[in-house]
Amino acid sequence: EGIRVDSGAYTGWRIPPDYDSLVAKVIAFAPSRPLAIRKIRTALETTTIVGVKTNIPLLLGILSNTDFMNGDYDTSLMEKFLEKKRPAD
């Protein structure tokens, strides 16, 4: 409840090499931001996609980010998030 998935993918479908990288879109609906974040996290945690690498681990990391969860972010969120994930030299 409260989750919508938009995709044209189906079992056995092969993603062509020149296909748009957006294979599916997952959307959460809820009366509050914290509940929507919990719903989308649960949806992503229970999603199984085989045969291709996905950005689900990245999305789960962002959804667990304190600044994101608190709505305290701007367009530099990804840069800062990825900087923290980069191994030290």
Side-chain angles (χ1 to χ4, degrees), residues 31-76:
S32 68
R33 178 182 176 82
L35 183 54
I37 290 172
R38 284 196 302 274
K39 284 178 175 262
I40 197 88
R41 285 187 62 179
T42 300
L44 291 173
E45 289 168 348
T46 59
T47 298
T48 302
I49 299 175
V50 296
V52 294
K53 187 176 179 179
T54 72
N55 64 351
I56 291 174
L58 172 67
L59 296 172
L60 288 171
I62 293 167
L63 291 167
S64 298
N65 178 277
T66 304
D67 290 336
F68 180 83
M69 290 173 59
N70 293 332
D72 183 25
Y73 62 91
D74 57 28
T75 57
S76 67

Side-chain angles (χ1 to χ4, degrees), residues 2 21 62 86:
S21 60
I62 293 167
R86 192 171 296 138

